[in-house]
Amino acid sequence: MTELKYTRQTVTHVHTWVPDKLFSIHTTRDPAFKFQAGQFARVGLPEGDDPAAEPTVWRAYSMVSAPDEDRLEFYSIVVPEGQFSPRLARLQPGDAIYVDKTAFGFLTIERFPQGGDLWLLATGTGLSAYLSILRDPGTWRAFRRIVLVHGVRSVSELAYRDEIESWRAHPDFAEHFQADPRKLIYLPIATREAIPGMPQARLTTLIQNGELEQLAGMKLDPEQSKIMLCGNPEMLSEARKLLGERGFAPGRRGIPGNLAVENYW
């Protein structure tokens, strides 16, 4: 008998951020499933409506949960005409969901030498991997400061904002803020709504005109800064070009880089 490459898990909670658009789903976790913060899993569902059928439709989702949590958490947008996300959004606690036994992806802090500053730049649901990375205590010890930038269209799409802003007082992170009140700099950016103190602009515009550095109060320095990019292909292509002109590049042939990129589309 061929051993299955996936496990059957159970949905435990579904949270709606924006009705019919953005949601998070929590599931049980197979104790044997291991991953590094920033990696993704293949999540599966049966093609039809029979909950007992074998999973045949698979999509990649970054883990939002930290590697040491006993559950898995995924954050998703609903693609109305999609074959997968609308059905995923309709799942209820107790429903079955399938997870590949192997984690994938290289958007992890292991890509970089420790030290210096970590910049996490995301649009939309590209935030997912960064939440896992930031929920991992090792990240906070590995870098001097962390800048988290989340670009969205409207304020309602700033998922996890309350959690991120609560970390300053959280027992797991408070010591870092006591040592440096600017340990984590969180910049929520909405292009179609005003946020006090924040510009209404695309993330790439803020990189190009220098305003991102002004908002963070820090320089994008290739010698000190490590940058992760996660989001839609258009943003990634433009941001890579802008950052490449400033000396940022992925690692190659055993040479550590200062840029890591993952398409989240």
Side-chain angles (χ1 to χ4, degrees):
M1 183 177 176
T2 304
E3 183 182 359
L4 294 176
K5 294 183 178 180
Y6 57 83
T7 62
R8 183 184 190 274
Q9 300 302 314
T10 303
V11 175
T12 58
H13 177 71
V14 179
H15 179 87
T16 299
W17 299 100
V18 179
D20 302 318
K21 186 172 185 180
L22 294 170
F23 67 97
S24 296
I25 188 165
H26 298 180
T27 78
T28 55
R29 175 180 176 176
D30 179 40
F33 180 68
K34 307 296 182 186
F35 67 92
Q36 292 178 312
Q39 288 191 304
F40 62 87
R42 293 177 67 246
V43 178
L45 291 172
E47 190 168 357
D49 294 326
D50 180 4
E54 294 297 308
T56 54
V57 185
W58 296 86
R59 295 291 185 272
Y61 283 93
S62 293
M63 270 68 70
V64 172
S65 41
D68 62 354
E69 291 187 63
D70 60 4
R71 65 173 188 179
L72 294 176
E73 182 177 351
F74 305 101
Y75 174 45
S76 178
I77 189 170
V78 177
V79 180
E81 68 280 8
Q83 188 182 12
F84 193 88
S85 61
R87 295 179 56 218
L88 189 69
R90 290 196 296 269
L91 293 180
Q92 298 294 316
D95 288 343
I97 191 168
Y98 299 86
V99 180
D100 196 301
K101 290 181 179 179
T102 303
F104 303 90
F106 301 98
L107 196 72
T108 66
I109 65 170
E110 284 74 19
R111 295 280 295 273
F112 301 132
Q114 291 193 1
D117 303 313
L118 178 65
W119 293 69
L120 305 173
L121 312 184
T123 55
T125 53
L127 178 71
S128 300
Y130 300 158
L131 291 164
S132 181
I133 287 169
L134 288 169
R135 287 175 174 179
D136 183 352
T139 301
W140 296 70
R141 296 190 294 267
F143 300 97
R144 183 180 73 103
R145 282 184 177 155
I146 304 167
V147 182
L148 173 62
V149 186
H150 188 199
V152 296
R153 290 190 177 96
S154 63
V155 172
S156 64
E157 296 171 18
L158 289 169
Y160 295 93
R161 184 182 184 181
D162 288 346
E163 176 186 345
I164 295 165
E165 292 179 339
S166 76
W167 285 340
R168 187 171 294 273
H170 193 284
D172 290 346
F173 307 112
E175 63 177 291
H176 297 290
F177 288 105
Q178 289 166 6
D180 180 0
R182 286 169 48 78
K183 179 69 177 183
L184 174 68
I185 299 163
Y186 172 51
L187 302 176
I189 308 290
T191 57
R192 298 183 181 177
E193 282 186 69
I195 299 176
M198 297 292 170
Q200 287 179 248
R202 295 168 65 242
L203 208 157
T204 47
T205 301
L206 299 177
I207 295 173
Q208 187 170 31
N209 65 16
E211 199 167 356
L212 185 63
E213 293 165 286
Q214 293 174 21
L215 290 168
M218 294 164 53
K219 284 289 184 183
L220 285 168
D221 177 5
E223 297 298 321
Q224 292 294 324
S225 305
K226 287 86 174 180
I227 303 178
M228 289 185 172
L229 294 173
C230 194
N232 68 72
E234 183 182 354
M235 183 279 283
L236 296 183
S237 176
E238 189 175 346
R240 284 187 72 158
K241 181 176 182 296
L242 291 169
L243 293 168
E245 293 168 353
R246 300 186 57 170
F248 290 93
R252 55 188 175 83
R253 298 191 198 92
I255 302 172
N258 51 15
L259 179 65
V261 181
E262 185 161 291
N263 188 352
Y264 213 86
W265 201 252

